[in-house]
Amino acid sequence: MSASLIYDLAPIGAIVTWSDGTPRPPERHRRKLAAWENRNSKGRLIRKQGKRGIGNACLSPDFTLHEGDFGTNSVITIRNHRTFSLDSSLTFKVIARPQLGYIRVFDRAGDNAELVHLAANRQAAEEWLTRHSYPNAVLEEVTADEVAAAHVEGRVAA
């Protein structure tokens, strides 16, 4: 599916893959493989931003995927995020959606909120918040209506 369909249809918290359609090179070609992995990967959808203006410039809508974290001893030192504009030539696919009853933890309220954690239930989300400093965090439950809409509209993950 296209980037604009991910923006329109995929729920925050979904796992999304992206690909440029080229075949994976052999393991022995390390540089080619690294370049291929840069254009073919997956991540969790953490933010959607609509059209916005900065000074005289107008930025098109985009979405951000969280690819992974790097660090040691349970300390995250680098978070790897990828932002894609809606005119991206890559192909995207939703491979997993947040389950009914899961709790999304956003860093703040509003349109520019970013998903910082996806918990299995409200208690787990509140426990996670006690260990992490997000004073303006907002909790949002994945509802039955949202899950049912995805099934009715044929948007079930493969």
Side-chain angles (χ1 to χ4, degrees):
M1 73 179 33
S2 68
S4 61
L5 285 175
I6 292 293
Y7 182 85
D8 291 339
L9 303 176
I12 297 292
I15 302 292
V16 177
T17 63
W18 68 89
S19 174
D20 64 358
T22 59
R24 180 184 173 98
E27 294 291 327
R28 68 181 184 274
H29 298 286
R30 294 179 192 198
R31 288 186 192 146
K32 288 181 182 180
L33 182 59
W36 182 88
E37 288 173 344
N38 192 36
R39 296 182 317 269
N40 298 272
S41 191
K42 69 179 178 179
R44 184 174 301 277
L45 181 60
I46 60 169
R47 179 175 50 201
K48 296 178 184 181
Q49 289 186 310
K51 189 174 181 180
R52 58 210 180 280
I54 298 176
N56 290 335
C58 187
L59 301 174
S60 65
D62 59 37
F63 59 91
T64 303
L65 301 176
H66 175 217
E67 249 189 302
D69 296 328
F70 299 97
T72 58
N73 299 331
S74 301
V75 177
I76 297 170
T77 55
I78 297 174
R79 298 202 108 146
N80 192 10
H81 292 172
R82 291 280 184 103
T83 299
F84 298 95
S85 66
L86 299 191
D87 61 355
S88 174
S89 62
L90 298 171
T91 302
F92 298 87
K93 183 179 181 182
V94 175
I95 60 170
R97 295 175 179 275
Q99 296 177 12
L100 176 64
Y102 269 51
I103 304 294
R104 297 179 184 111
V105 181
F106 291 96
D107 62 347
R108 62 185 171 271
D111 291 337
N112 291 326
E114 182 177 297
L115 180 73
V116 291
H117 186 66
L118 185 63
N121 55 50
R122 185 165 293 276
Q123 180 183 356
E126 290 170 354
E127 287 174 7
W128 184 88
L129 274 174
T130 61
R131 296 186 314 272
H132 298 83
S133 58
Y134 288 95
N136 300 321
V138 175
L139 302 180
E140 178 184 287
E141 184 174 354
V142 177
T143 63
D145 291 340
E146 183 180 343
V147 173
H151 286 283
V152 168
E153 295 174 11
R155 293 187 273 151
V156 178

